[in-house]
Amino acid sequence: MIDIRNKEQGSEIILRPNCSADWSENRRIIQTVMLFNAALGICFAASGAWLVLPFIGLEMLLLWLVLAAVFRKLQVREIVSLDPQNLCIDVGHHRCEHHWQWPRQTSFVLVTVLPHPWDPLQISISHCGECVSIGDFLNKDDSRELLSALRNNGLPVRHYCGSSTLEA
């Protein structure tokens, strides 16, 4: 998903993955599965098959770990801030984990068009040989919207790889 915020001097482009469920919904899923498994486990334990109970607990632990890992991965944010002099890129989950700040006049956008028509654009921002890939988690339409937003904010697109036809 892309959120473009125009400010008095420049703009801010916030990128985040599409996330269908928040953590409270994930907890409800875990609780529902846990309730079902607890009822099933009680039935098995009442019939003498109590060895099922540790496996039910292990299953719940694994479900929680997998949902927590996926949810954490989906909480990444990439913020591209543009003002008249500088371009800043901040990447992180709950706080800024990586930060790049470059002069805007010498920064540009690199675009790689992948051969399959369903593939999104691979977009990077480059400055003096240093290159930062942004929006790797975006779908095709969102990557085109990101490219359009970067162009509209005055960043030059310097390079296309692969197919030279691009609709934006």
Side-chain angles (χ1 to χ4, degrees):
M1 297 179 68
I2 298 178
D3 183 19
I4 302 168
R5 298 179 182 171
N6 292 321
K7 298 180 177 181
E8 291 177 13
Q9 292 186 344
S11 63
E12 188 174 72
I13 303 169
I14 301 171
L15 309 172
R16 59 188 175 98
N18 293 334
C19 185
S20 60
D22 61 5
W23 185 244
S24 65
E25 291 171 346
N26 285 340
R27 272 196 331 252
R28 277 185 262 160
I29 291 170
I30 293 171
Q31 290 168 351
T32 302
V33 172
M34 189 178 293
L35 185 65
F36 176 75
N37 282 350
L40 197 62
I42 289 171
C43 292
F44 274 105
S47 65
W50 59 270
L51 284 174
V52 164
L53 296 177
F55 291 103
I56 289 175
L58 183 62
E59 179 187 1
M60 288 296 92
L61 177 66
L62 288 175
L63 177 64
W64 181 80
L65 289 173
V66 167
L67 282 177
V70 169
F71 185 74
R72 173 155 167 55
K73 186 175 181 181
L74 291 176
Q75 294 308 303
V76 69
R77 300 287 185 269
E78 295 178 355
I79 301 172
V80 179
S81 302
L82 299 153
D83 64 32
Q85 289 80 27
N86 295 314
L87 175 136
C88 297
I89 303 171
D90 296 316
V91 178
H93 285 84
H94 296 288
R95 60 180 176 79
C96 180
E97 296 169 2
H98 302 285
H99 175 79
W100 295 270
Q101 182 172 354
W102 300 323
R104 183 173 176 164
Q105 289 74 21
T106 57
S107 300
F108 55 91
V109 179
L110 295 174
V111 179
T112 303
V113 179
L114 299 175
H116 196 278
W118 293 349
D119 288 333
L121 302 173
Q122 289 182 340
I123 299 174
S124 302
I125 297 179
S126 183
H127 169 74
C128 295
E130 188 176 3
C131 192
V132 176
S133 180
I134 60 171
D136 292 336
F137 45 78
L138 297 175
N139 61 28
K140 183 178 179 178
D141 294 334
D142 286 346
S143 66
R144 290 182 182 278
E145 184 180 347
L146 171 61
L147 180 61
S148 177
L150 292 170
R151 271 189 186 145
N152 291 341
N153 281 291
L155 282 178
V157 177
R158 294 269 177 109
H159 179 65
Y160 288 103
C161 290
S163 175
S164 61
T165 59
L166 182 67
E167 303 164 11

